[in-house]
Amino acid sequence: MAGPRVDDIYDQVKAMAVSFRLRPGDRLNEVALSKELGVSRTPLREALNRLVAERLFDFRPGQGFFCRPLDAQSIFDLFELRQIIETAAVRAACTKATTEQLQALHDELYATGIDITGLTVEEAVTRDEAFHLGIARLSGNMELLQTLMRINERIRYIRWISMSLDRVQRSKDEHKRVMQALMNRDADEAAQALGTHINKRMDQVQDAVRHGISSIYMEGSDDISTRIIQEAQS
């Protein structure tokens, strides 16, 4: 069983992978990374093997660990999977959630998730994820919730890019529509609204990937995540 030290290394390296501070497709320099983190290579490798299992790194026998690629088809597939999972979750939530649970999600959304003006891109995406994970919890299916959390980690960087490019008003209105359908326990309307909200066309994914790669090599991921969300235009 992994100890606290391995868990800490795992969290640090995962943050690097999710944000693409480690460039996509590059071979990982274990010696340099162990020095940077101030750890030995044994716990580092244990943490890396866990991240390989979560598909945040690749391992090639005889070559070592490689940072995950940033390619449009993989990202598109993940968004498609997310759409399938979340529409199933919202349908289940319409029937399984108590009135009190739905009201709590409604209150939390309007208290913290509607107006994201002035937040950083990272903060805005975190709030958005919280709303979607809240719906998944109300499905009562913890395996579904865990799967969605893993998908979120693998698409988070692209979601930062999309959040920095998209018009925020549309997302706010779509969240309201999903929440109202949930309050009405209208499973068909909730699934349709959420599916539309999540859906990404391949050309949109390709555009986000192009911007993402440019940001990684020209600006750095920190510049994307710390951008301030401007007031939405309706």
Side-chain angles (χ1 to χ4, degrees):
M1 181 178 293
R5 186 55 173 155
V6 173
D7 290 340
D8 183 54
I9 297 167
Y10 164 85
D11 289 339
Q12 292 181 70
V13 180
K14 175 185 270 191
M16 294 179 180
V18 166
S19 65
F20 280 107
R21 285 169 55 196
L22 303 170
R23 291 180 175 180
D26 281 1
R27 183 177 180 275
L28 193 67
N29 187 326
E30 293 181 54
V31 174
L33 185 58
S34 64
K35 288 181 179 179
E36 178 183 345
L37 299 178
V39 300
S40 66
R41 291 179 64 182
T42 298
L44 174 60
R45 283 205 164 196
E46 188 171 342
L48 287 170
N49 283 323
R50 288 171 60 183
L51 293 167
V52 168
E54 295 176 17
R55 302 190 66 181
L56 288 171
F57 283 93
D58 294 327
F59 178 74
R60 303 173 194 170
Q63 299 181 59
F65 295 92
F66 288 79
C67 305
R68 64 193 170 118
L70 183 58
D71 68 279
Q73 186 61 57
S74 294
I75 297 297
F76 179 82
D77 290 347
L78 287 167
F79 271 102
E80 189 174 58
L81 179 58
R82 179 189 175 206
Q83 185 178 27
I84 292 168
I85 287 174
E86 289 209 45
T87 52
V90 79
R91 283 186 177 278
C94 281
T95 59
K96 293 183 179 181
T98 66
T99 299
E100 291 75 17
Q101 287 173 326
L102 291 175
Q103 187 63 53
L105 182 64
H106 174 279
D107 293 348
E108 182 178 3
L109 171 66
Y110 278 81
T112 64
I114 289 294
D115 188 6
I116 59 175
T117 303
L119 298 181
T120 66
V121 164
E122 183 175 8
E123 290 168 338
V125 169
T126 297
R127 284 194 183 183
D128 185 85
E129 285 183 5
F131 175 61
H132 289 265
L133 291 173
I135 294 172
R137 283 190 187 90
L138 296 187
S139 75
N141 188 320
M142 293 301 102
E143 291 295 332
L144 184 153
L145 175 63
Q146 291 296 321
T147 300
L148 180 57
M149 292 172 69
R150 289 192 292 270
I151 292 172
N152 283 342
E153 289 168 347
R154 294 175 64 193
I155 64 173
R156 188 168 296 142
Y157 183 75
I158 290 299
R159 297 212 56 231
W160 287 354
I161 298 294
S162 296
M163 184 68 77
S164 71
L165 298 175
D166 285 353
R167 296 167 67 186
V168 175
Q169 184 65 42
R170 182 184 65 195
S171 181
K172 290 164 62 175
D173 290 344
E174 289 170 352
H175 276 187
K176 292 177 184 178
R177 182 182 168 198
V178 171
M179 192 67 247
Q180 188 59 56
L182 272 166
M183 296 298 288
N184 294 338
R185 296 188 184 275
D186 187 336
D188 289 340
E189 169 65 12
Q192 197 279 329
L194 191 58
T196 299
H197 172 60
I198 295 170
N199 182 60
K200 289 282 188 184
R201 301 189 312 270
M202 176 58 88
D203 64 300
Q204 293 174 312
V205 173
Q206 289 172 332
D207 185 53
V209 168
R210 280 195 297 270
H211 277 89
I213 290 174
S214 174
S215 296
I216 289 168
Y217 288 94
M218 302 296 292
E219 303 173 51
S221 61
D222 288 345
D223 291 332
I224 293 293
S225 63
T226 58
R227 287 179 186 172
I228 301 298
I229 302 291
Q230 302 301 314
E231 184 175 0
Q233 300 296 315
S234 58

